[in-house]
Structure formats: C-alpha cells, structure tokens
Amino acid sequence: MSTPFNPTLVVTRKCNSDISSSPYCLVKAVGDDDIDIPSEGQLVIGALTNDVAKGTASAPVSVAVQMGGMIKVQVDGSGVTAGTLCMADASGNAKTVATGKYAFGIALETHAAGDIGAFLFAPSFYEEG
C-alpha cells in the first residue's frame, strides 16, 4: 500500500469470538459495543486494525476498529480497482459492490487479491440504475 495510513477515528469495541486470524477485516455491530465479522454485503461499522485477539462469550476482549477517514482492509480473491465502490465479502474482506448490498467505501488504489488496501470509509446502500 503506497498511500500513507491516516485514519480519522479509531475506537475500541468488544469481540466475543475468535478473530485472531482476521486483521484488517471489516466488522459489523452486533450488540452494545460488540462486533463480529459481517456476512457478504452487510452494513459494516469499520475495519479491524492489526491488533486482533481471541475473545470468547465468557471472556470478551476489546479491539481497535477503524471507523472513519481512510481505513485499511484486506482485499478478497478477485482484487479491486481504484475508484471502485466496495463491500464486505463473507470473510470481512473487501470486494467490488453488488446491487442491493451495502458498500463500505471506495478503493483509493488498485489492489490485488490478498493485499491490505487503502479505502475511503463512506458507507452507503448500492442500487444500480
């Protein structure tokens, strides 16, 4: 990623599942200050930083979530093109948005599969036409 990373808002949220293998993945809100990995095209609140942990229902952990400005997100297997509106896939990775799904932001650069990409966080609902 050649764009310098400069998020405008990073907050902590509780996670009660094992997300230790999901750095830079998108997350959704699931309760009072709780987060989880979204389903494909769900509305997301931000992305995890590289500081992820292994929480459980009985021992939740707090993790940092990038919620505004430019965020870093792992790109799915198809890659994304600069300027493309993107959404979450089923693993919380970035992919090109599909009709009738929630977009989380815009790719600031072209990224190959597996890259940690730079995105402008701008949630919206995408309807073609």
Side-chain angles (χ1 to χ4, degrees):
M1 181 175 83
S2 62
T3 301
F5 177 58
N6 187 18
T8 56
L9 179 62
V10 177
V11 299
T12 57
R13 290 290 181 258
K14 291 184 299 184
C15 183
N16 53 19
S17 61
D18 182 4
I19 58 167
S20 58
S21 63
S22 303
Y24 301 111
C25 287
L26 296 157
V27 293
K28 65 179 180 178
V30 292
D32 293 341
D33 293 332
D34 291 350
I35 57 166
D36 204 352
I37 304 297
S39 299
E40 183 172 288
Q42 277 190 316
L43 184 61
V44 301
I45 63 166
L48 297 173
T49 65
N50 64 340
D51 183 21
V52 294
K54 190 175 194 174
T56 65
S58 61
V61 295
S62 291
V63 295
V65 178
Q66 307 164 76
M67 298 179 96
M70 190 185 86
I71 64 174
K72 289 197 253 184
V73 180
Q74 184 162 348
V75 177
D76 85 336
S78 57
V80 296
T81 304
T84 302
L85 197 57
C86 295
M87 68 178 193
D89 72 3
S91 298
N93 297 321
K95 69 182 281 184
T96 301
V97 72
T99 300
K101 302 290 184 178
Y102 284 97
F104 73 87
I106 303 163
L108 297 175
E109 300 172 332
T110 297
H111 298 288
D115 283 356
I116 305 299
F119 296 84
L120 175 63
F121 188 68
S124 61
F125 186 76
Y126 181 71
E127 290 185 293
E128 198 169 341

